[in-house]
Amino acid sequence: MKAYDQLISHLKEIGKLKSVSALLGWDERTQLPPKGAEGRAEQMALLATMIHSRFTDKSVGDWLSECEQSDNMRDRHSDFAVNVQETRRNYDRAVKLPGEWVEEMAKMEVLAQHAWVEARKKSSFAEFAPWLTKILDLKKKQVGYLRKNAQQEAYDILLDEFEPRETAANLRRVFDSLRGPLVELIAAIGNSSKKAPLEILERKYPTDLQHKLATEAAKAVGFDFEGGRLDVSVHPFSTGIAPGDTRITTRYDENYFGDAFFGTLHEAGHAMYSQG
């Protein structure tokens, strides 16, 4: 179907722009010198507006409408139907967001990240607080652009981007059901005569040996180093750059073994999903 082929071709182009943005984001948090933050913020803002402009183009809506009338939509689990449905969901959301907001948010995410890194060095929340306020203000604007009615809970609107159709009310129900058993479990552990051998975690381990073990651990659980790499960042993360290129990071503390080891395993789990 011509409209579907045009849609997929357009989405692939947007995907390549997103991969460039992801690579810049990885570099920002692993290699970028502090003085490069302002320039990187401008670069990320430009890419974000380019991606947003291409994705919200009227032709995307036209292609979607044509595809939605196709007999190919009858099997809602087919690749055709799922691609159309998910693109429609994201498109309807994106067209409500002004390009100016997208640009400002992309810029602020970079600047706030670097402000957080500096504030973390000093353990100074006060230094980061103004940046957090700016991010929250932008998220509140986002809620305003996307809100369907006054009764819709703000967190439901933001959550829907990552967990479609999930609600804050249901999450509260889940967490409330876990609270009692977890409190009891923690109390039982605290009152137990058995104590964890913390000296295993807290003795001194050279960074180079921790890196070697973290690498072997990631390999052991299935992370493919032919399609990925492990680097260092202030806070561990995983990012899928493109097919065949998935990056993970960790951080090392010579006096606490758990940071690098468990952080690497955690991020490897995310990365293996991307590699799959």
PDB file of all heavy atoms in Angstrom, residues 94-106:
ATOM      1  N   ALA A  94       1.920  14.254  19.689  1.00  0.00           N
ATOM      2  CA  ALA A  94       2.970  15.190  19.277  1.00  0.00           C
ATOM      3  C   ALA A  94       2.408  16.480  18.679  1.00  0.00           C
ATOM      4  O   ALA A  94       2.967  17.558  18.889  1.00  0.00           O
ATOM      5  CB  ALA A  94       3.908  14.510  18.286  1.00  0.00           C
ATOM      6  N   VAL A  95       1.319  16.368  17.908  1.00  0.00           N
ATOM      7  CA  VAL A  95       0.792  17.570  17.237  1.00  0.00           C
ATOM      8  C   VAL A  95       0.244  18.590  18.233  1.00  0.00           C
ATOM      9  O   VAL A  95       0.033  19.755  17.878  1.00  0.00           O
ATOM     10  CB  VAL A  95      -0.297  17.209  16.198  1.00  0.00           C
ATOM     11  CG1 VAL A  95       0.293  16.413  15.047  1.00  0.00           C
ATOM     12  CG2 VAL A  95      -1.457  16.456  16.843  1.00  0.00           C
ATOM     13  N   LYS A  96       0.012  18.181  19.454  1.00  0.00           N
ATOM     14  CA  LYS A  96      -0.486  19.101  20.471  1.00  0.00           C
ATOM     15  C   LYS A  96       0.638  19.900  21.138  1.00  0.00           C
ATOM     16  O   LYS A  96       0.371  20.848  21.885  1.00  0.00           O
ATOM     17  CB  LYS A  96      -1.264  18.326  21.540  1.00  0.00           C
ATOM     18  CG  LYS A  96      -2.524  17.643  21.009  1.00  0.00           C
ATOM     19  CD  LYS A  96      -3.176  16.806  22.097  1.00  0.00           C
ATOM     20  CE  LYS A  96      -4.406  16.064  21.574  1.00  0.00           C
ATOM     21  NZ  LYS A  96      -5.007  15.194  22.604  1.00  0.00           N
ATOM     22  N   LEU A  97       1.884  19.485  20.894  1.00  0.00           N
ATOM     23  CA  LEU A  97       3.017  20.147  21.540  1.00  0.00           C
ATOM     24  C   LEU A  97       3.632  21.190  20.605  1.00  0.00           C
ATOM     25  O   LEU A  97       4.067  20.850  19.496  1.00  0.00           O
ATOM     26  CB  LEU A  97       4.082  19.105  21.913  1.00  0.00           C
ATOM     27  CG  LEU A  97       3.651  18.035  22.919  1.00  0.00           C
ATOM     28  CD1 LEU A  97       4.747  16.999  23.079  1.00  0.00           C
ATOM     29  CD2 LEU A  97       3.297  18.659  24.270  1.00  0.00           C
ATOM     30  N   PRO A  98       3.691  22.438  21.019  1.00  0.00           N
ATOM     31  CA  PRO A  98       4.295  23.475  20.178  1.00  0.00           C
ATOM     32  C   PRO A  98       5.783  23.221  19.956  1.00  0.00           C
ATOM     33  O   PRO A  98       6.483  22.729  20.860  1.00  0.00           O
ATOM     34  CB  PRO A  98       4.091  24.759  20.989  1.00  0.00           C
ATOM     35  CG  PRO A  98       3.031  24.434  21.993  1.00  0.00           C
ATOM     36  CD  PRO A  98       3.163  22.982  22.288  1.00  0.00           C
ATOM     37  N   GLY A  99       6.268  23.562  18.785  1.00  0.00           N
ATOM     38  CA  GLY A  99       7.684  23.395  18.490  1.00  0.00           C
ATOM     39  C   GLY A  99       8.568  24.160  19.453  1.00  0.00           C
ATOM     40  O   GLY A  99       9.669  23.705  19.803  1.00  0.00           O
ATOM     41  N   GLU A 100       8.098  25.323  19.908  1.00  0.00           N
ATOM     42  CA  GLU A 100       8.877  26.141  20.843  1.00  0.00           C
ATOM     43  C   GLU A 100       9.080  25.405  22.162  1.00  0.00           C
ATOM     44  O   GLU A 100      10.153  25.484  22.783  1.00  0.00           O
ATOM     45  CB  GLU A 100       8.181  27.481  21.104  1.00  0.00           C
ATOM     46  CG  GLU A 100       8.074  28.392  19.892  1.00  0.00           C
ATOM     47  CD  GLU A 100       6.929  27.989  18.960  1.00  0.00           C
ATOM     48  OE1 GLU A 100       6.129  27.100  19.328  1.00  0.00           O
ATOM     49  OE2 GLU A 100       6.839  28.573  17.866  1.00  0.00           O
ATOM     50  N   TRP A 101       8.038  24.686  22.598  1.00  0.00           N
ATOM     51  CA  TRP A 101       8.155  23.919  23.843  1.00  0.00           C
ATOM     52  C   TRP A 101       9.146  22.776  23.659  1.00  0.00           C
ATOM     53  O   TRP A 101       9.985  22.516  24.544  1.00  0.00           O
ATOM     54  CB  TRP A 101       6.788  23.359  24.258  1.00  0.00           C
ATOM     55  CG  TRP A 101       6.882  22.528  25.509  1.00  0.00           C
ATOM     56  CD1 TRP A 101       6.781  22.965  26.791  1.00  0.00           C
ATOM     57  CD2 TRP A 101       7.134  21.118  25.584  1.00  0.00           C
ATOM     58  NE1 TRP A 101       6.952  21.917  27.668  1.00  0.00           N
ATOM     59  CE2 TRP A 101       7.167  20.778  26.958  1.00  0.00           C
ATOM     60  CE3 TRP A 101       7.328  20.114  24.633  1.00  0.00           C
ATOM     61  CZ2 TRP A 101       7.400  19.471  27.390  1.00  0.00           C
ATOM     62  CZ3 TRP A 101       7.568  18.801  25.063  1.00  0.00           C
ATOM     63  CH2 TRP A 101       7.591  18.497  26.430  1.00  0.00           C
ATOM     64  N   VAL A 102       9.071  22.085  22.534  1.00  0.00           N
ATOM     65  CA  VAL A 102       9.985  20.974  22.247  1.00  0.00           C
ATOM     66  C   VAL A 102      11.428  21.461  22.267  1.00  0.00           C
ATOM     67  O   VAL A 102      12.314  20.823  22.864  1.00  0.00           O
ATOM     68  CB  VAL A 102       9.659  20.339  20.879  1.00  0.00           C
ATOM     69  CG1 VAL A 102      10.718  19.321  20.482  1.00  0.00           C
ATOM     70  CG2 VAL A 102       8.282  19.686  20.915  1.00  0.00           C
ATOM     71  N   GLU A 103      11.680  22.599  21.642  1.00  0.00           N
ATOM     72  CA  GLU A 103      13.031  23.168  21.596  1.00  0.00           C
ATOM     73  C   GLU A 103      13.519  23.538  22.994  1.00  0.00           C
ATOM     74  O   GLU A 103      14.648  23.202  23.382  1.00  0.00           O
ATOM     75  CB  GLU A 103      13.027  24.408  20.707  1.00  0.00           C
ATOM     76  CG  GLU A 103      14.384  25.089  20.595  1.00  0.00           C
ATOM     77  CD  GLU A 103      14.352  26.324  19.719  1.00  0.00           C
ATOM     78  OE1 GLU A 103      13.238  26.807  19.407  1.00  0.00           O
ATOM     79  OE2 GLU A 103      15.431  26.816  19.359  1.00  0.00           O
ATOM     80  N   GLU A 104      12.662  24.198  23.766  1.00  0.00           N
ATOM     81  CA  GLU A 104      13.050  24.632  25.103  1.00  0.00           C
ATOM     82  C   GLU A 104      13.299  23.439  26.013  1.00  0.00           C
ATOM     83  O   GLU A 104      14.250  23.434  26.809  1.00  0.00           O
ATOM     84  CB  GLU A 104      11.961  25.536  25.704  1.00  0.00           C
ATOM     85  CG  GLU A 104      12.369  26.195  27.012  1.00  0.00           C
ATOM     86  CD  GLU A 104      11.303  27.119  27.564  1.00  0.00           C
ATOM     87  OE1 GLU A 104      10.232  27.264  26.921  1.00  0.00           O
ATOM     88  OE2 GLU A 104      11.528  27.695  28.643  1.00  0.00           O
ATOM     89  N   MET A 105      12.467  22.400  25.904  1.00  0.00           N
ATOM     90  CA  MET A 105      12.618  21.221  26.752  1.00  0.00           C
ATOM     91  C   MET A 105      13.923  20.503  26.442  1.00  0.00           C
ATOM     92  O   MET A 105      14.651  20.084  27.355  1.00  0.00           O
ATOM     93  CB  MET A 105      11.431  20.270  26.543  1.00  0.00           C
ATOM     94  CG  MET A 105      11.385  19.122  27.529  1.00  0.00           C
ATOM     95  SD  MET A 105      10.976  19.702  29.197  1.00  0.00           S
ATOM     96  CE  MET A 105      11.466  18.304  30.184  1.00  0.00           C
ATOM     97  N   ALA A 106      14.239  20.337  25.164  1.00  0.00           N
ATOM     98  CA  ALA A 106      15.472  19.651  24.777  1.00  0.00           C
ATOM     99  C   ALA A 106      16.697  20.392  25.296  1.00  0.00           C
ATOM    100  O   ALA A 106      17.663  19.789  25.775  1.00  0.00           O
ATOM    101  CB  ALA A 106      15.531  19.519  23.255  1.00  0.00           C
TER     102      ALA A 106
END
